């Protein structure tokens, strides 16, 4: 038992050295490293910083994401604040990770017309620019309230993914589906990557919304930025979630 405890302590200390923390509060006037990724190569959306918050506008059926990071990122938590301002039609709020080029895992919360009028949290994997996607997890989830901030969090650890809104877990996927999902996706396209590393993103479909306090903690994440609102509380919450891995 003593040996096990020593190993566990060593692991936590080593992990804390490896882990980095990236924070984006949009207090400046530039988006710096962020890049837009638009589904099916549709027209770009609108992204502008207003009073220290990022206002995004996406009209139509295409999902538009802002992305960050590279293919070496792994084992991390992405947390952000989102406040919908207006819904332009059937739409959703999205968070994505991991992302490798135009291949990605992403999660949308909102309308799925072919599933009826109920709001759903849906996990999707595929090529954002091509019509090659797999829908493999569906869970009922309330719509985001207009003009009210919500916290959206996605944890990625190996092939385990956890998605939650305001502290409520929507679903947990291990390997995505019951059999090795990379092999299933490769039936669609032999180049389909094994999504255990990659960048992150967030965005929306057919919404106008505000985003703020993007926090990413994990292996290989560059240290940058600081939270302008309750940094200690948010950091403690995020680290607590990360340690549960």
């Amino acid at each position: 038992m003593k040996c096990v405890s020593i190993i566990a302590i060593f692991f936590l200390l080593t992990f804390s050295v490896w882990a980095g923390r990236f924070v984006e509060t949009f207090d400046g006037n530039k988006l710096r490293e962020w890049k837009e990724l638009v589904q099916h190569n549709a027209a770009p959306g609108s992204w502008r910083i207003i009073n220290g918050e990022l206002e995004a506008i996406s009209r139509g059926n295409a999902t538009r994401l802002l992305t960050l990071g590279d293919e070496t990122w792994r084992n991390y938590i992405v947390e952000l604040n989102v406040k919908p301002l207006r819904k332009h039609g059937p739409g959703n709020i999205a968070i994505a990770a991991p992302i490798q080029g135009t291949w990605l895992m992403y999660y949308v919360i909102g309308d799925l017309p072919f599933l009826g009028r109920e709001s759903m949290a849906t996990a999707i994997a595929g090529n954002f620019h091509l019509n090659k996607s797999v829908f493999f997890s569906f869970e009922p989830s309330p719509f985001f309230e207009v003009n009210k901030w919500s916290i959206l969090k996605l944890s990625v650890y190996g092939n385990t993914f956890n998605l939650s809104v305001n502290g409520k877990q929507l679903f947990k996927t291990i390997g995505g589906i019951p059999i090795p999902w990379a092999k299933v996706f490769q039936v669609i396209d032999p180049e389909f990557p094994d999504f255990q590393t990659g960048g992150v993103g967030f965005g929306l479909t057919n919404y106008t919304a505000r985003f703020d306090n993007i926090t990413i903690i994990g292996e290989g994440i560059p240290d940058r930025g600081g939270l302008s609102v309750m940094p200690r509380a948010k950091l403690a919450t995020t680290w607590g979630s990360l340690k549960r891995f």
Side-chain angles (χ1 to χ4, degrees):
M1 180 63 70
K2 183 176 181 180
C3 180
V4 173
S5 299
I6 293 174
I7 293 173
I9 293 172
F10 176 78
F11 173 80
L12 290 175
L13 291 174
T14 304
F15 184 80
S16 67
V17 173
W18 288 343
R21 178 177 70 115
F22 179 96
V23 178
E24 178 66 81
T25 59
F26 304 112
D27 291 331
N29 295 318
K30 296 182 179 180
L31 293 175
R32 289 183 267 191
E33 299 96 335
W34 295 95
K35 297 181 180 179
E36 186 176 29
L37 181 62
V38 183
Q39 191 176 28
H40 305 316
N41 283 308
S46 172
W47 309 85
R48 60 175 182 164
I49 297 173
I50 302 175
N51 298 326
E53 299 169 357
L54 177 65
E55 183 170 294
I57 303 174
S58 176
R59 296 179 182 271
N61 296 326
T63 301
R64 293 168 174 86
L65 302 173
L66 272 194
T67 68
L68 178 78
D70 59 45
E71 296 184 1
T72 67
W73 286 12
R74 63 185 301 117
N75 298 341
Y76 47 71
I77 290 176
V78 186
E79 183 176 308
L80 58 89
N81 298 341
V82 57
K83 180 174 69 173
L85 301 180
R86 179 179 297 179
K87 194 175 180 184
H88 305 292
N92 52 66
I93 303 297
I95 187 168
I99 301 172
Q100 296 185 15
T102 58
W103 295 95
L104 74 166
M105 290 274 297
Y106 64 107
Y107 302 78
V108 297
I109 301 173
D111 297 297
L112 282 178
F114 59 87
L115 290 179
R117 296 182 179 181
E118 185 179 15
S119 175
M120 302 290 292
T122 307
I124 310 169
N127 191 312
F128 224 45
H129 286 175
L130 303 176
N131 189 24
K132 297 178 179 180
S133 297
V134 175
F135 294 69
F136 60 89
S137 288
F138 304 91
E139 291 291 339
S141 173
F143 286 104
F144 288 98
E145 294 187 41
V146 175
N147 294 317
K148 181 177 179 179
W149 286 104
S150 294
I151 299 175
L152 181 59
K153 181 164 70 173
L154 175 64
S155 304
V156 179
Y157 187 78
N159 61 353
T160 302
F161 306 85
N162 292 272
L163 179 66
S164 67
V165 176
N166 295 327
K168 180 181 179 181
Q169 181 173 290
L170 299 182
F171 51 65
K172 177 179 181 180
T173 60
I174 301 177
I177 49 182
I179 55 179
W181 54 280
K183 293 181 180 179
V184 174
F185 296 156
Q186 285 170 357
V187 173
I188 303 172
D189 193 304
E191 297 181 356
F192 212 111
D194 184 1
F195 286 99
Q196 294 192 21
T197 65
V200 305
F202 64 92
L204 65 178
T205 309
N206 230 5
Y207 263 104
T208 296
R210 293 280 182 97
F211 296 91
D212 202 4
N213 291 342
I214 316 298
T215 306
I216 310 166
I217 295 179
E219 297 180 31
I221 307 300
D223 287 309
R224 202 200 79 184
L227 291 171
S228 57
V229 181
M230 295 186 296
R232 292 184 179 179
K234 177 170 285 190
L235 183 58
T237 300
T238 307
W239 271 114
S241 300
L242 190 60
K243 287 181 179 179
R244 284 199 294 271
F245 288 137

